[in-house]
Amino acid sequence: MLRTTTASMWASSARILRQPLSSSTTRFSRTAAVSSLSASTRLFSISAAASSPPPPPQHYNSTTSAAVPRHPRVLVTGSLGQLGSGLVKELRSMYGNENVVASDIRKAPEEFMASGPFVYADVMNYSMLERIVVDWRIDWVVHYSALLSAVAEKNPALALSVNMTGFQNMLELAKVHRLRLYSPSTIGAFGPSTPKNNTPDLTIMRPNTIYGITKLHNELLGEYYREKFGVDFRSARYPGILSADTPPGGGTTDYAVDIFHHAIRTGHYDCFLSKDTRLPMMYLSDCIKGTVDHLTYPTPLPQSVYNIAACSFTPAELAAEIQKHLPHFTISYPDPSRPDFRQAIADSWPASLDDSMARRDFGWKEEFGMERMVKLMLDKIQAQVDAEKKVASSAVTNGPAAMAA
Ligand code: NAD
């Protein structure tokens, strides 16, 4: 494993931070930023009051005057989505709660608010983001805010703004404030003319979905900023991610999460993809581990963007694996003459990825194949259902007593 100690990792970033800042104040989405300035300033001050920046980190030991390495301070955008909350938890366990600033444009649940700093951050608003970077002395950004494939296809204009303007704002901030920027791409950045099987990092990329177009734009722009301005831009093309604890955010691979909930709750699932649609997939904890290993790698890697994958399967294969645990589970598929709109999206994506470069360059390796993933998803969702039943039955039991009292 190529991982190094926090101190040595941080020393390399500290060197970057000591470089003079660029005087550039270029702003993308100036119109959006100006038009939403008053509202966003108000929102920022509300969230800042609720969760104010900690005192500046200790850079020097006053007795020895020697530089004392500190942990990087990380901003995570879109942290309330399917992937963000797990990553925030992992980074906080590594660097301390106060060093990981979670953000989103939605209200966070109580327990999330209690676990560390959380701020409102609309990624389309450059000045709001810049203020967070400055106030919290941010060193690294994990940029998770995005509209996923199915949602984006229903609202292309918003997808262009959130996925492209949001990313351009982060990239510009990374340049101006010498931030390390990790922003995932997706298998959706490939297209129907891309080789379908064992798709390599470098190949034909002509996506025909708005999600894919925005993500490919981000990959290329990130590479440009890395070459031109030395921005430490890092990205991995995630496959479909499966998680039992956090709901998926409107992607084409969402079926592979929904199927488990239906299998346990109703015993039947109406799949929106055809039974032989093969797509690359990964369990959430593997995605978090791969992201952390990539993000914390002490030096920039040979490539800006890497494929990472764990396994590939079709809905029929997934259903068969679920049936090994739940023999009565049944599944149905759409009428081929009236496919769901997500079928065309899935058909334009690779069936499997070649991720050998990520394995070589930062030691990427998955822990979960399909069989282990299915067992874990079923166990976790069954435990959730059991807990819900327990709460419901105790409400019934306590109801009359409470009323009598
Ligand atoms: P998600 O849809 O679950 O979460 C995205 C978050 O972004 C949401 O919490 C939303 O509130 C937030 N957001 C939306 N508009 C915003 C704005 N204007 N400003 C700030 N935040 C805003 O997405 P996810 O599944 O957690 O995905 C995270 C990243 O991983 C995305 O870049 C996505 O493209 C990528 N990815 C995810 C998958 C997957 O299967 N989940 C696969 C490939 C790539």
Side-chain angles (χ1 to χ4, degrees):
M1 190 65 227
L2 297 166
R3 217 155 158 174
T4 57
T5 63
T6 303
S8 67
M9 280 166 1
W10 186 231
S12 68
S13 294
R15 273 196 298 280
I16 295 171
L17 279 173
R18 282 196 292 273
Q19 291 170 12
L21 297 184
S22 156
S23 61
S24 166
T25 53
T26 311
R27 278 155 175 69
F28 289 98
S29 185
R30 191 181 291 275
T31 321
V34 170
S35 65
S36 60
L37 191 61
S38 58
S40 59
T41 307
R42 183 171 53 79
L43 285 166
F44 179 83
S45 53
I46 290 167
S47 55
S51 180
S52 26
Q58 201 73 44
H59 282 289
Y60 293 95
N61 178 328
S62 54
T63 50
T64 63
S65 293
V68 177
R70 66 173 172 87
H71 288 309
R73 193 162 284 162
V74 192
L75 170 67
V76 181
T77 69
S79 69
L80 298 180
Q82 186 196 9
L83 312 187
S85 51
L87 183 77
V88 165
K89 198 169 167 199
E90 179 64 18
L91 291 172
R92 284 184 174 157
S93 76
M94 293 165 63
Y95 298 137
N97 290 353
E98 70 287 358
N99 286 315
V100 181
V101 181
S103 71
D104 209 301
I105 51 169
R106 296 185 280 141
K107 246 164 101 175
E110 290 296 335
E111 64 276 14
F112 195 77
M113 289 296 288
S115 73
F118 179 85
V119 296
Y120 176 92
D122 181 350
V123 296
M124 290 191 267
N125 188 326
Y126 183 93
S127 48
M128 173 185 285
L129 295 171
E130 185 161 49
R131 183 161 172 192
I132 294 168
V133 166
V134 170
D135 282 356
W136 290 87
R137 311 201 56 195
I138 297 299
D139 306 300
W140 298 352
V141 174
V142 177
H143 180 52
Y144 267 175
S145 299
L147 260 53
L148 270 61
S149 57
V151 178
E153 219 50 43
K154 288 190 166 165
N155 196 342
L158 185 63
L160 283 173
S161 299
V162 176
N163 295 8
M164 282 171 49
T165 307
F167 176 78
Q168 288 166 3
N169 283 337
M170 289 318 325
L171 205 48
E172 189 60 21
L173 279 171
K175 182 183 103 182
V176 173
H177 296 280
R178 311 303 300 175
L179 310 174
R180 181 177 296 182
L181 175 61
Y182 182 94
S183 181
S185 189
T186 161
I187 52 172
F190 297 110
S193 51
T194 302
K196 201 120 182 101
N197 294 305
N198 213 22
T199 307
D201 288 323
L202 280 179
T203 183
I204 300 163
M205 297 183 83
R206 298 198 41 86
N208 60 357
T209 63
I210 200 69
Y211 180 58
I213 290 165
T214 60
K215 288 292 189 169
L216 179 57
H217 161 273
N218 294 355
E219 287 187 15
L220 296 174
L221 202 62
E223 281 183 16
Y224 176 82
Y225 267 62
R226 175 170 133 144
E227 291 303 315
K228 190 98 178 168
F229 306 116
V231 170
D232 189 354
F233 164 68
R234 305 176 184 209
S235 183
R237 295 187 191 112
Y238 292 168
I241 308 297
L242 275 68
S243 63
D245 304 321
T246 44
T252 301
T253 52
D254 286 9
Y255 92 84
V257 175
D258 295 344
I259 192 172
F260 291 97
H261 290 278
H262 284 82
I264 286 177
R265 286 169 203 272
T266 69
H268 179 79
Y269 182 58
D270 263 325
C271 188
F272 58 77
L273 293 183
S274 70
K275 65 181 191 178
D276 51 3
T277 307
R278 183 175 300 283
L279 291 168
M281 302 280 183
M282 182 185 292
Y283 189 63
L284 179 65
S285 62
D286 276 334
C287 176
I288 291 173
K289 184 179 162 296
T291 300
V292 167
D293 288 347
H294 193 173
L295 170 72
T296 59
Y297 195 80
T299 54
L301 291 157
Q303 299 175 193
S304 300
V305 186
Y306 288 87
N307 289 346
I308 56 169
C311 55
S312 286
F313 50 76
T314 64
E317 288 166 354
L318 183 58
E321 190 59 36
I322 291 172
Q323 278 159 348
K324 288 184 189 166
H325 303 269
L326 303 172
H328 302 298
F329 171 64
T330 54
I331 184 165
S332 53
Y333 301 100
D335 176 349
S337 63
R338 292 186 18 242
D340 184 276
F341 77 101
R342 289 163 285 192
Q343 185 65 50
I345 301 177
D347 288 344
S348 75
W349 291 357
S352 62
L353 297 180
D354 171 4
D355 57 3
S356 53
M357 294 300 123
R359 291 173 194 268
R360 182 197 69 185
D361 289 352
F362 60 92
W364 156 246
K365 190 170 173 9
E366 77 284 1
E367 225 177 279
F368 288 87
M370 184 173 75
E371 287 176 19
R372 281 190 70 193
M373 197 154 64
V374 165
K375 170 93 178 68
L376 190 63
M377 288 290 289
L378 289 172
D379 288 349
K380 284 188 158 220
I381 293 167
Q382 186 63 61
Q384 288 167 13
V385 170
D386 292 346
E388 283 165 22
K389 281 187 186 154
K390 215 167 157 188
V391 171
S393 75
S394 75
V396 170
T397 318
N398 296 335
M403 278 169 71

